[in-house]
Amino acid sequence: MTYKQIKSFYTLGSLLPFSIMDRYLAMQLLPLFLFGVGAFTSVVLAIDSLFELLRKVVESGLPINIALKVFILKLPYVMVYSFPMSTLLATLMTYSRLSSESELIALRGCGVSVYRMVLTAVLLSSLVTAMTYIFNEQIAPAANYEATRTLEQALKSDKPSFKQHNIYYPEYREVKEKDGSTTKILSRLFYADQFDGKQMQGLTIIDRSREGLNQILVSESAQWNASQKVWNFYNGTIYLVAPDRSYRNILRFEHQQLQLPRTPLNLAENSRDYGEMNISQALQQLEVERLAGNPQKIRKLEVRIQQKIAFPFVCIIFGLVGSAMGTIPQRTGRGTSFGISVIVIFSYYLLLSVSGALAQADILSPLIGAWLPNSFGLVTGLFLLMRVAQR
């Protein structure tokens, strides 16, 4: 396109809120964004999953169809991380090309401000943010969890496929006070040292659910009886305590059945890794960890929850930074733009790792640790944008 054609084209487009200019820029951004999603997803998948799956196929006899299923299930989790990177690549390459071909100069000659030029990229990045949130909250955790279960089931032997430690489950009941108000008190507390996938080990249960009788059960192991819907306890002791906290009786047993909720087993079976939980599940897990009282796990989960909330917004940050950097008058090719994108991405994830580690070490709050990289990127993008606008 000649300079006059570009000028007349953008003069018409800049007069409308969603104009020809916006559609033109969107059509330039979309192919590069899709290219970036494919490229980054392929690279990350190859590094993170493909080589490990191939090793399991060769060494552990993992069936090819199972390996392919796990590979596909891993796609959404990796795509979540490729969306922001692709946004940066697309905006930087598009605006750099338009700048090098003087199309942005034509825009400014028509009276279109740099802010208006960049607005298109920011709005499209907002759509990518929404898409990232949906993937990160609804699709990726479930798919990643299913991939883990599928792989465990395919490779399992006689040994349990997983082990959980420190299973806590409290139950509360409401009690009316003399003044008419209600308060919650502990009704039953279930604790097990570990769950190996079949049995609970090292159990202690405090039961205050029956009026006039409190009991403490200590057992070597326990297993859920699905047919009778009861717990089978083995090699334990039941201590009966009167309401006035005086001794009442001690019962020793080799096998004892008790009707207790299955919920502790559900809790142990559904325990997931951080990448396999959405925000709601992570908040539920946080409540459990707070009951367990492990400060390190609590802090780590608090930081991960904040990072999960903050992460999708990096698409807007990268869209702003990429378009602002691209509008700087320069003569750069696609190779240079790709290199700059890699440097920016590496810098962001480095800052994300450092701030996350500082938050887990209680040097920064979880909120600041999660949002600091986004804040730094926003300030950088606005600074670059104002510098270009002042030229």
Side-chain angles (χ1 to χ4, degrees):
M1 297 177 69
T2 65
Y3 179 84
K4 289 183 178 180
Q5 288 174 327
I6 294 171
K7 184 173 181 178
S8 60
F9 179 77
Y10 285 120
T11 299
L12 174 62
S14 62
L15 299 176
L16 303 172
F18 295 99
S19 59
I20 298 174
M21 176 189 71
D22 293 318
R23 291 197 292 272
Y24 176 74
L25 290 174
M27 293 304 296
Q28 301 301 309
L29 288 165
L30 184 59
L32 288 172
F33 173 77
L34 296 177
F35 166 77
V37 171
F40 287 120
T41 300
S42 301
V43 172
V44 176
L45 263 179
I47 296 173
D48 182 63
S49 302
L50 182 59
F51 296 143
E52 181 65 17
L53 286 172
L54 289 176
R55 186 183 67 81
K56 284 182 169 58
V57 169
V58 175
E59 297 180 4
S60 304
L62 180 68
I64 295 293
N65 62 321
I66 298 297
L68 181 61
K69 180 181 178 180
V70 172
F71 183 80
I72 294 173
L73 287 170
K74 288 283 186 180
L75 272 174
Y77 183 74
V78 176
M79 288 177 67
V80 166
Y81 291 92
S82 70
F83 288 156
M85 296 187 286
S86 303
T87 301
L88 176 65
L89 180 67
T91 52
L92 183 57
M93 280 190 169
T94 298
Y95 281 81
S96 294
R97 184 187 65 79
L98 296 176
S99 177
S100 64
E101 294 180 2
S102 301
E103 292 192 41
L104 298 185
I105 296 176
L107 272 172
R108 300 193 71 175
C110 299
V112 180
S113 68
V114 174
Y115 300 107
R116 180 62 183 85
M117 287 186 268
V118 171
L119 179 62
T120 304
V122 173
L123 291 176
L124 291 176
S125 300
S126 301
L127 296 178
V128 180
T129 295
M131 184 169 60
T132 304
Y133 176 81
I134 293 172
F135 267 74
N136 200 29
E137 182 68 6
Q138 301 296 330
I139 302 174
N144 205 31
Y145 179 63
E146 185 62 27
T148 301
R149 288 177 59 86
T150 301
L151 192 59
E152 286 178 347
Q153 291 173 2
L155 297 177
K156 72 178 181 180
S157 59
D158 293 334
K159 297 181 179 180
S161 61
F162 66 98
K163 181 181 288 186
Q164 299 297 330
H165 296 274
N166 299 323
I167 297 98
Y168 286 82
Y169 175 67
E171 287 185 0
Y172 298 91
R173 59 188 173 93
E174 291 187 349
V175 176
K176 283 191 175 183
E177 301 290 347
K178 293 180 180 179
D179 60 0
S181 63
T182 58
T183 58
K184 286 186 177 181
I185 64 171
L186 183 68
S187 175
R188 186 184 290 121
L189 177 63
F190 185 108
Y191 170 79
D193 287 334
Q194 68 179 35
F195 175 59
D196 62 8
K198 295 181 179 179
Q199 284 190 333
M200 298 281 188
Q201 305 289 337
L203 295 101
T204 300
I205 298 172
I206 301 173
D207 192 346
R208 304 170 61 196
S209 60
R210 289 181 286 179
E211 292 289 341
L213 179 64
N214 296 330
Q215 58 181 346
I216 301 173
L217 182 148
V218 180
S219 177
E220 180 182 302
S221 62
Q223 189 169 2
W224 175 254
N225 188 326
S227 60
Q228 301 180 25
K229 296 184 179 179
V230 296
W231 282 93
N232 291 324
F233 290 88
Y234 303 98
N235 302 324
T237 303
I238 299 177
Y239 300 89
L240 301 178
V241 182
D244 61 359
R245 299 176 182 82
S246 62
Y247 160 80
R248 176 171 290 187
N249 200 1
I250 296 178
L251 302 174
R252 290 185 174 88
F253 63 86
E254 292 184 0
H255 175 224
Q256 180 75 30
Q257 288 187 330
L258 292 177
Q259 288 186 337
L260 297 175
R262 191 186 187 276
T263 313
L265 182 59
N266 295 337
L267 183 66
E269 289 178 336
N270 293 330
S271 181
R272 302 186 179 195
D273 189 30
Y274 298 107
E276 299 168 356
M277 294 185 287
N278 57 30
I279 295 174
S280 176
Q281 292 166 336
L283 288 172
Q284 292 176 4
Q285 184 65 29
L286 179 60
E287 292 300 319
V288 174
E289 297 296 348
R290 283 173 175 163
L291 292 170
N294 188 323
Q296 186 176 4
K297 287 186 177 181
I298 293 172
R299 191 73 177 183
K300 185 174 183 179
L301 194 52
E302 287 176 340
V303 173
R304 294 299 179 91
I305 290 171
Q306 289 297 330
Q307 287 178 334
K308 204 169 186 65
I309 297 171
F311 180 76
F313 292 94
V314 74
C315 297
I316 297 177
I317 306 301
F318 277 179
L320 175 63
V321 171
S323 55
M325 292 179 67
T327 53
I328 299 174
Q330 54 190 330
R331 296 286 177 176
T332 58
R334 291 193 173 185
T336 304
S337 297
F338 186 84
I340 295 173
S341 299
V342 172
I343 294 173
V344 173
I345 292 166
F346 176 79
S347 301
Y348 170 81
Y349 282 107
L350 178 62
L351 182 57
L352 182 66
S353 300
V354 172
S355 63
L358 292 175
Q360 290 184 35
D362 208 10
I363 298 173
L364 299 175
S365 70
L367 183 67
I368 294 176
W371 288 90
L372 182 62
N374 285 7
S375 301
F376 181 79
L378 179 62
V379 171
T380 303
L382 291 175
F383 173 76
L384 292 172
L385 188 59
M386 289 187 291
R387 285 283 303 272
V388 175
Q390 290 172 358
R391 293 187 177 184

